[in-house]
């Protein structure tokens, strides 16, 4: 039905900005922007945005992949899944 995201206020934003800075230090990467939506997100809508400006597509693609992986691992965000039959916080499973 939908997903609901909450963030650890202040900490999540600080970690996102730090992650952007770390990724921008890579050779050939000029700028990185990371955004993760919070609140109720209807089924099928975009949740995470990773934008990379780089000199070549290889650096851009690698940085996008690493950016999304590290965002999911390192940024304190919490996801509730609501289906037709149940709802649960993903970190509790």
């Amino acid at each position: 039905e939908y997903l609901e995201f909450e963030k650890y206020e202040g900490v999540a934003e600080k970690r996102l900005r730090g992650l952007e800075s770390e990724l921008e230090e890579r050779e050939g990467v000029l700028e990185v922007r990371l955004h993760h939506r919070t609140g109720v997100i209807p089924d099928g809508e975009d949740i995470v945005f990773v934008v990379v400006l780089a000199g070549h597509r290889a650096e851009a693609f690698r940085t996008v992949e690493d950016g999304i992986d590290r965002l999911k691992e390192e940024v304190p965000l919490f996801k509730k899944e609501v289906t037709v039959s149940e709802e649960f916080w993903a970190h509790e499973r």
Side-chain angles (χ1 to χ4, degrees):
E1 300 277 319
Y2 66 87
L3 298 174
E4 183 175 348
F5 291 91
E6 293 182 1
K7 63 183 172 183
Y8 187 162
E9 290 293 335
V11 176
E13 293 87 353
K14 184 176 180 181
R15 188 63 201 125
L16 280 171
R17 301 299 75 88
L19 185 50
E20 287 172 346
S21 294
E22 289 175 31
L23 293 169
E24 287 172 351
E25 292 175 7
R26 293 178 172 200
E27 175 108 21
V29 174
L30 306 172
E31 191 170 349
V32 176
R33 289 293 172 261
L34 303 171
H35 177 73
H36 195 296
R37 292 175 61 190
T38 56
V40 173
I41 313 295
D43 181 38
E45 288 194 10
D46 294 331
I47 298 168
V48 179
F49 301 88
V50 178
V51 180
V52 175
L53 176 63
H56 298 281
R57 67 176 173 233
E59 290 93 351
F61 291 154
R62 270 194 299 274
T63 304
V64 166
E65 184 175 16
D66 290 346
I68 190 73
D69 289 345
R70 290 187 60 193
L71 184 153
K72 290 180 67 123
E73 291 173 13
E74 300 174 24
V75 178
L77 295 156
F78 309 97
K79 176 174 72 172
K80 183 193 321 185
E81 296 187 32
V82 178
T83 70
V84 175
S85 59
E86 65 179 331
E87 68 179 59
F88 57 90
W89 288 98
H91 66 277
E92 294 177 348
R93 285 216 164 162

